[in-house]
Amino acid sequence: MNENFMEQDVRRVRTIADLAELAGVSPGTVSRALAGKTLVNEQTRQRIKALADEHGFRPNQMASRLRTRRTGVIGVVVPLGHERRQHLSDPFFMTMLGHLVDALTENGYDVMLSRVIPDAEDWLDRVVDSGMVDGVLLIGQSNQYDAIERIARRYRPLVAWGVTLPGQVHAAVGTDNLAGGRLAGERLVAHGCRRIAFLGDTSAPEIRARYDGVVAAMAEAGLPDAPLQLSCHLASDIMEQEIAAHIDALLQQGGGEMPVCGIAAASDMIAMTAVRVLADRSIAVPGALAVVGYDDLPLAAQAVPRLTTIRQDIAAGAQAMVDALFARIGGEEAGSVVLAPDLIARDSA
């Protein structure tokens, strides 16, 4: 008899109406009490919450979201227009994603993660118009700057990791890549390098700015030649082959000797791969050639030799992105944030 009563009692408290009947109040009072509304007096509110806890009642989140027109979900999107073979397992993406997810979930939001190959002009339209998210965070602008600008003119809760250009509509958080590239170039010049190569695909605006920074550092040092730009993808499955081909071509050009004495890499992963390729050819770093990376990923301090690099404060950047997004969701203004880069001097340069 007792078991039947308990089963009936559990079955009863499945909806707000069930809980209202048990508490002897109206469903509206229960709804307001569980939402913490001050229209319900404190004593009644606490009694209803205690009954809800006692019977394991949880409000229907879907119904609540329909009423508020909120999904409780933030879209985190990685656009790969210029780097279609790159994977989410890339250490930079994983580091940034970890910080973003921590900040979002701590604020009660779920995350919808998408790796997008922009195969049509409306790739971002499909995300923001899906009705599945309350806002969108982009990890990188790729070569999709114009598409992001177009959407930002009509969709406010959108924040990207990347560059901020004059007159930009969308909010972006990122490092001053021009200053970061300049720091890398200055480090190599101080190391005694007179001919420098830049490894990276400059079709992405962030990487282009890093290259331009190296150019500026060399010009300020009075060096006649601009850095040799060697295109290299960020996708790990082809990165090493491309770097090896560049190194071999340089060795052939120099008659077995490297015609450059420093490499500024567009990322730590490129830099660490370059160090490994050079080691395979018995070219010592930093003895014969200095290498500077970009990002200061956790792996940079564990590499052999430990990597000199330009630090982006990824944790602070992720928090700034989330703060800006929440402000925009709340109807407030939130502009772009440009973080200052830092030179992290280690063994490779």
Side-chain angles (χ1 to χ4, degrees):
M1 180 68 179
N2 288 339
E3 289 182 359
N4 289 337
F5 175 79
M6 289 176 64
E7 289 176 2
Q8 290 172 5
D9 197 43
V10 170
R11 283 198 300 271
R12 285 180 59 204
V13 188
R14 291 183 176 178
T15 68
I16 283 179
D18 294 337
L19 186 58
E21 182 180 351
L22 189 65
V25 298
S26 71
T29 298
V30 170
S31 180
R32 288 188 286 272
L34 294 179
K37 301 293 186 181
T38 57
L39 292 173
V40 182
N41 70 63
E42 180 65 19
Q43 183 179 358
T44 302
R45 195 160 61 237
Q46 292 303 325
R47 183 167 64 86
I48 291 171
K49 287 183 177 180
L51 282 170
D53 290 341
E54 179 184 345
H55 293 278
F57 176 76
R58 297 290 180 271
N60 187 311
Q61 294 297 317
M62 182 61 72
S64 174
R65 288 169 178 177
L66 286 172
R67 286 194 304 273
T68 61
R69 298 186 179 181
R70 294 282 177 88
T71 67
V73 177
I74 299 299
V76 178
V77 181
V78 183
L80 297 174
H82 73 294
E83 198 63 86
R84 294 178 175 232
R85 298 175 66 166
Q86 197 172 6
H87 299 288
L88 287 175
S89 58
D90 179 279
F92 175 81
F93 289 151
M94 294 305 298
T95 302
M96 173 63 79
L97 181 62
H99 289 298
L100 289 175
V101 171
D102 284 347
L104 291 169
T105 56
E106 286 169 6
N107 282 276
Y109 279 83
D110 292 323
V111 174
M112 184 179 74
L113 177 63
S114 300
R115 172 183 178 270
V116 177
I117 305 298
D119 54 359
E121 289 185 1
D122 66 343
W123 67 271
L124 189 50
D125 300 73
R126 295 197 298 266
V127 175
V128 303
D129 295 335
S130 66
M132 299 172 65
V133 297
D134 293 333
V136 174
L137 295 171
L138 297 171
I139 303 182
Q141 296 153 322
S142 185
N143 59 359
Q144 298 297 303
Y145 184 91
D146 291 341
I148 298 168
E149 280 287 273
R150 179 177 59 80
I151 294 299
R153 290 186 176 92
R154 68 174 181 87
Y155 185 82
R156 295 288 296 161
L158 172 69
V159 180
W161 172 265
V163 301
T164 299
L165 301 179
Q168 181 168 304
V169 176
H170 73 273
V173 176
T175 302
D176 185 336
N177 291 284
L178 183 66
R182 182 180 281 108
L183 287 174
E186 289 171 350
R187 180 69 177 185
L188 291 171
V189 170
H191 191 78
C193 300
R194 293 297 175 266
R195 293 204 65 197
I196 296 171
F198 182 90
L199 273 172
D201 180 2
T202 57
S203 67
E206 289 176 275
I207 295 177
R208 178 69 200 192
R210 294 170 195 177
Y211 171 79
D212 289 342
V214 178
V215 170
M218 295 180 68
E220 289 164 5
L223 300 180
D225 297 321
L228 179 63
Q229 203 275 308
L230 305 174
S231 185
C232 168
H233 288 84
L234 293 167
S236 59
D237 60 341
I238 57 174
M239 180 191 298
E240 184 169 352
Q241 297 93 314
E242 290 179 333
I243 293 173
H246 286 311
I247 297 299
D248 290 340
L250 287 172
L251 286 170
Q252 184 176 8
Q253 176 187 333
E257 299 291 332
M258 285 293 287
V260 299
C261 61
I263 290 177
S267 75
D268 284 347
M269 296 308 298
I270 291 176
M272 288 185 282
T273 303
V275 169
R276 185 169 69 250
V277 169
L278 290 164
D280 289 343
R281 288 151 181 77
S282 300
I283 300 172
V285 175
L289 191 146
V291 176
V292 177
Y294 205 106
D295 287 330
D296 194 30
L297 298 175
L299 288 171
Q302 301 171 18
V304 179
R306 294 182 307 158
L307 189 65
T308 293
T309 186
I310 306 304
R311 182 172 187 261
Q312 304 194 86
D313 193 336
I314 297 174
Q319 187 61 59
M321 289 175 69
V322 171
D323 290 345
L325 183 69
F326 286 165
R328 286 180 165 237
I329 289 174
E332 301 173 13
E333 286 298 320
S336 294
V337 176
V338 180
L339 304 169
D342 293 307
L343 172 70
I344 305 299
R346 298 193 181 102
D347 302 331
S348 67

